[in-house]
Amino acid sequence: MIDNKEFKFTTYNNAKLIECMINEESFSITFKKGLYILNVKSKYSKGLKLAAPVKGSMAKEIFESICASITVTLKKGKEIIFCDTSNMCGLEIVEN
């Protein structure tokens, strides 16, 4: 929410994924809905390996960090409406 306006980027309101880059130390995901573009970037260390459920069995491995850095940027066209960074974020990476 920005100035009491909620910005939703969901499949049911036709937001489109236009970029998704993931590597060992960072990711960047960008969505577009109408004139609005939402970008989420993160820098992280893999964190701890945890077991996760798959059909009732704890057979999948995920990585969770509690010290990721995440930057969120919302634009309307080329105008930046919101941009902020937090350096103390929880982040869970689930590999396929």
Side-chain angles (χ1 to χ4, degrees):
M1 293 202 51
I2 301 170
D3 295 331
N4 291 323
K5 182 175 181 180
E6 186 174 28
F7 294 88
K8 291 183 181 182
F9 289 81
T10 66
T11 54
Y12 66 81
N13 72 8
N14 296 319
K16 302 294 181 204
L17 175 66
I18 59 174
E19 176 190 57
C20 182
M21 297 184 334
I22 302 172
N23 63 41
E24 293 291 322
E25 299 171 352
S26 65
F27 75 78
S28 176
I29 300 174
T30 305
F31 299 93
K32 184 172 195 257
K33 181 178 176 280
L35 297 175
Y36 295 96
I37 297 171
L38 177 68
N39 177 260
V40 179
K41 290 182 182 180
S42 177
K43 293 181 183 175
Y44 60 89
S45 59
K46 259 196 167 172
L48 298 174
K49 182 168 48 171
L50 302 172
V54 176
K55 296 182 181 179
S57 173
M58 298 300 276
K60 188 171 189 121
E61 292 181 345
I62 63 169
F63 293 91
E64 184 175 67
S65 173
I66 59 169
C67 55
S69 170
I70 295 180
T71 300
V72 176
T73 305
L74 178 64
K75 295 180 179 180
K76 183 176 183 181
K78 294 185 183 224
E79 175 191 0
I80 295 175
I81 297 172
F82 175 84
C83 184
D84 202 3
T85 300
S86 176
N87 294 315
M88 298 302 293
C89 296
L91 180 65
E92 180 178 298
I93 303 295
V94 180
E95 299 173 353
N96 289 333

